[in-house]
Amino acid sequence: MAEGLEIIEVTGRRMLDSEGLPAVEAEVELENGARGRAMVALCEDSEDTDRVMEVLSECVLFEDASDQRGIDKLLEEGASSCGIRKCGGFLTAVSMAVSRAAAAGLGMPLYRYLGGTAPGRLPVPMMTMISGGRYGRNNSLDLESYMVVPVGASSFGEGAEKCMEVYQALKRLLTISGYQTGVGDDGGFVPDLRNSEEALEYIMEAMMLCGYEPGKDMCLAIGAGAESLFDEGTGFYQFKGESRMTGVPVERDRNDMIGFYIRLLDGYPVCAVFDGLAEADADGWGMLTKMLGNRAVFIGQHKNREPGCLKPGERDWACLADWDGVEENAAGISMCGAKSVTAAMEMADLAKRNGLKLAVSQGYGETEDPYAADFAAAVNADWIRAGAPCRSERTSKYNELLRIEEWMKVRI
């Protein structure tokens, strides 16, 4: 153990996330005085904050903060044995806070502590322009987010600047067209448009107004959120917003969804699709990647089950148990989905070793904690998806990457 890195105190407190729902913050103090804090959205109420934090605190007190793998193993065992099923957010917060404290105790930036001293690269931002689905505040768009990707940028800062320009141009376009420019839960605009095609048309027009050539300077990406559209009873994806706008019921089966994506890729420079089909539809993912994988990346979200649902020492990564036959061609990882720093780092390494592109993404409930930015820099992620260049819980990640770029002084 490096001198002074023993954990002497762990504090947990209830906080608020970006949607006014409960969040938890963990604060860790080391023997040498270094501190680390981390905040995680719980997305649901929890009356057991004090109890869970007490259990997790006892697990890691007087342990070596620089032994992240050992810390996370203790946390997972403690969470599994405490008898509370929904405690993953608490575990994540403590795990993140410990790594921050260790980095501070060693006098290192967090991204370098996590990723080592080898020069890295920064991810390309995927910034939301228009929101729909669960982010869209009941607007007419069924897919969750329509994003821009500055593929022609030479640095993260240049890419972020381009995204911001397009966002402001889109705001003016929507205003001129008579739409309100309030924003959704991930910061994108929420107009009542006819369908996805119209949303992509508006974004492309905003790109061209800024002098950017679609498909060359900037591409489009889609956060489909297909899991929330899928009706297990009927086996169809229900497009309720599009149904409302057209006056005709719109529902699509697996083949229809693939045809839908073919139509979007044929008409627009779409380079990436998140969560294009239901998580359990492995055959559908295989068809999607086989037919369209040479034209775009199809990104599945990978996550670990709640520790309270596992036996001590057991680990079950959804869709990660055997990556030899993985069906998508890119992986999406979030800290909340991974549940711990160690699991997130292992997932990223496993994705890279299996030849997959890597996107670091954020969830529905968010906080101002910019940890995802350091994680993305540490694992050399290809992209980061944190929402729009609007709302501080979203921009905090992009702003942290701008700081990291200044520190690293490397090009994307």
Side-chain angles (χ1 to χ4, degrees):
M1 179 193 300
E3 186 175 352
L5 295 185
E6 185 176 285
I7 298 171
I8 62 171
E9 185 176 3
V10 180
T11 304
R13 55 183 68 96
R14 287 171 66 90
M15 306 291 275
L16 298 175
D17 75 2
S18 59
E19 305 309 318
L21 293 169
V24 63
E25 182 177 74
E27 184 166 357
V28 172
E29 183 179 357
L30 306 185
E31 186 181 15
N32 64 7
R35 288 176 175 268
R37 284 200 305 263
M39 193 188 311
V40 172
L42 298 178
C43 298
E44 59 184 17
D45 199 7
S46 174
E47 301 299 328
D48 298 303
T49 301
D50 294 339
R51 180 185 167 199
V52 175
M53 288 305 300
E54 181 180 358
V55 170
L56 297 182
S57 298
E58 291 175 354
C59 289
V60 299
L61 276 177
F62 311 117
E63 298 292 334
D64 178 6
S66 65
D67 180 15
Q68 190 70 46
R69 183 178 295 275
I71 291 290
D72 289 339
K73 185 175 185 294
L74 291 171
L75 289 172
E76 289 173 2
E77 290 173 352
S80 297
S81 62
C82 73
I84 300 172
R85 295 179 67 83
K86 294 290 185 179
C87 58
F90 299 92
L91 188 160
T92 308
V94 177
S95 178
M96 290 163 54
V98 168
S99 66
R100 260 209 185 105
L106 292 169
M108 300 172 66
L110 178 59
Y111 78 89
R112 191 168 290 282
Y113 172 73
L114 294 174
T117 58
R121 65 175 181 187
L122 293 183
V124 176
M126 290 180 164
M127 292 198 190
T128 301
M129 299 288 114
I130 293 177
S131 302
R134 62 176 178 171
Y135 295 123
R137 305 200 175 199
N138 297 314
N139 70 346
S140 59
L141 296 171
D142 297 287
L143 305 187
E144 287 182 352
S145 52
Y146 303 83
M147 298 167 277
V148 294
V149 187
V151 292
S154 61
S155 68
F156 180 85
E158 181 185 332
E161 183 73 22
K162 288 182 176 181
C163 292
M164 186 171 60
E165 289 176 16
V166 173
Y167 186 81
Q168 295 301 328
L170 177 60
K171 183 176 183 178
R172 294 192 293 271
L173 271 177
L174 292 172
T175 300
I176 292 170
S177 300
Y179 293 107
Q180 297 294 318
T181 53
V183 300
D185 294 340
D186 65 344
F189 301 114
V190 288
D192 264 334
L193 302 177
R194 290 192 304 273
N195 51 36
S196 295
E197 287 89 337
E198 188 174 13
L200 296 176
E201 289 283 358
Y202 266 106
I203 297 172
M204 284 181 59
E205 188 174 351
M207 286 182 190
M208 291 184 285
L209 281 175
C210 294
Y212 302 129
E213 182 180 342
K216 180 181 179 182
D217 300 315
M218 303 190 85
C219 289
L220 299 163
I222 295 171
E227 185 73 20
S228 62
L229 302 177
F230 187 66
D231 185 324
E232 291 186 6
T234 64
F236 285 90
Y237 296 86
Q238 306 290 337
F239 283 68
K240 295 179 180 179
E242 191 174 339
S243 299
R244 173 164 61 85
M245 296 301 287
T246 62
V248 177
V250 179
E251 56 181 21
R252 296 180 169 99
D253 62 15
R254 174 203 293 166
N255 292 334
D256 294 331
M257 288 294 287
I258 294 175
F260 174 59
Y261 294 131
I262 289 174
R263 189 169 77 244
L264 294 182
L265 266 64
D266 284 346
Y268 307 94
V270 175
C271 64
V273 177
F274 283 81
D275 306 318
L277 294 172
E279 293 176 7
D281 189 5
D283 291 339
W285 276 97
M287 292 171 59
L288 189 62
T289 306
K290 184 175 182 180
M291 294 176 67
L292 298 174
N294 62 332
R295 300 176 60 185
V297 290
F298 291 88
I299 304 170
Q301 296 291 337
H302 294 283
K303 56 192 176 184
N304 195 359
R305 272 197 296 164
E306 281 287 340
C309 300
L310 304 178
K311 298 176 182 178
E314 180 188 7
R315 173 170 285 171
D316 176 25
W317 290 350
C319 306
L320 272 166
D322 178 8
W323 279 42
D324 291 336
V326 72
E327 300 298 350
E328 68 270 33
N329 53 7
I333 298 175
S334 70
M335 293 305 304
C336 288
K339 299 296 190 292
S340 72
V341 173
T342 298
M345 296 295 290
E346 289 179 350
M347 286 180 177
D349 180 63
L350 198 55
K352 293 287 188 179
R353 284 194 284 112
N354 281 272
L356 302 183
K357 297 286 189 179
L358 182 62
V360 172
S361 61
Q362 292 299 285
Y364 176 67
E366 256 308 316
T367 74
E368 64 269 26
D369 193 316
Y371 195 100
D374 287 273
F375 174 70
V379 299
N380 293 332
D382 297 282
W383 306 282
I384 183 168
R385 174 193 176 190
C390 175
R391 296 179 53 130
S392 60
E393 79 278 3
R394 304 292 169 178
T395 59
S396 64
K397 284 73 174 172
Y398 302 131
N399 288 337
E400 183 68 6
L401 281 164
L402 291 171
R403 298 183 192 103
I404 292 172
E405 183 169 63
E406 183 179 318
W407 296 332
M408 293 174 70
K409 299 188 183 302
V410 298
R411 310 300 275 180
I412 290 181

